[in-house]
């Protein structure tokens, strides 16, 4: 399955990489954190690491490390604006529970 971006998220990532002037894509993973156990980590990738699993979505390369993939496989990353707030929204079918603040999750 892999990890995908919506068209809005891909456009946002492309624009940001263009402003940065460098980058090959977006690296998505998970780390142990928060009150529910896991949190997402996002960073712009400048190089392809040996163990990266690449997925293409609307012309953007999404890189995932093999240890994170079981927790986010099938996830869609969206970029939304709601009123004055805007940001990435993680649509992860593996999440069983999330903390009230929305910063961490359980699978």
């Amino acid at each position: 399955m892999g990890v995908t971006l919506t068209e809005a998220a891909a456009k946002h990532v492309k624009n940001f990489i263009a402003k940065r002037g460098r980058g090959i894509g977006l690296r998505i993973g998970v780390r142990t954190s928060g009150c529910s156990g896991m949190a997402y980590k996002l960073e712009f990738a400048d190089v392809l690491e040996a163990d990266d699993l690449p997925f293409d979505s609307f012309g953007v390369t999404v890189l995932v490390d093999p240890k994170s993939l079981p927790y986010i496989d099938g996830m869609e990353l969206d970029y939304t604006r709601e009123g004055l707030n805007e940001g990435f929204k993680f649509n992860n079918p593996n999440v069983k529970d999330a903390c009230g603040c929305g910063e961490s999750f359980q699978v």
Side-chain angles (χ1 to χ4, degrees):
M1 286 171 70
V3 176
T4 59
L5 304 177
T6 63
E7 191 170 355
K11 181 179 178 183
H12 182 75
V13 171
K14 285 179 188 177
N15 288 340
F16 196 86
I17 288 173
K19 286 179 188 176
R20 279 180 87 220
R22 68 184 193 285
I24 63 166
L26 184 67
R27 182 170 283 114
I28 303 175
V30 297
R31 60 183 166 82
T32 304
S33 178
C35 48
S36 290
M38 305 187 111
Y40 299 107
K41 58 181 181 177
L42 290 176
E43 62 186 16
F44 290 94
D46 294 326
V47 296
L48 179 68
E49 301 293 338
D51 63 344
D52 280 337
L53 302 169
F55 302 96
D56 185 69
S57 192
F58 291 101
V60 173
T61 301
V62 178
L63 303 172
V64 180
D65 68 272
K67 290 180 182 176
S68 294
L69 187 60
Y71 303 106
I72 59 175
D73 195 22
M75 183 178 79
E76 178 186 64
L77 184 64
D78 193 8
Y79 192 81
T80 61
R81 284 187 180 188
E82 296 174 5
L84 297 176
N85 298 319
E86 65 180 281
F88 287 109
K89 182 177 178 184
F90 301 89
N91 299 315
N92 186 347
N94 304 302
V95 171
K96 302 291 185 240
D97 194 20
C99 69
C101 64
E103 294 295 319
S104 63
F105 65 96
Q106 272 182 344
V107 293

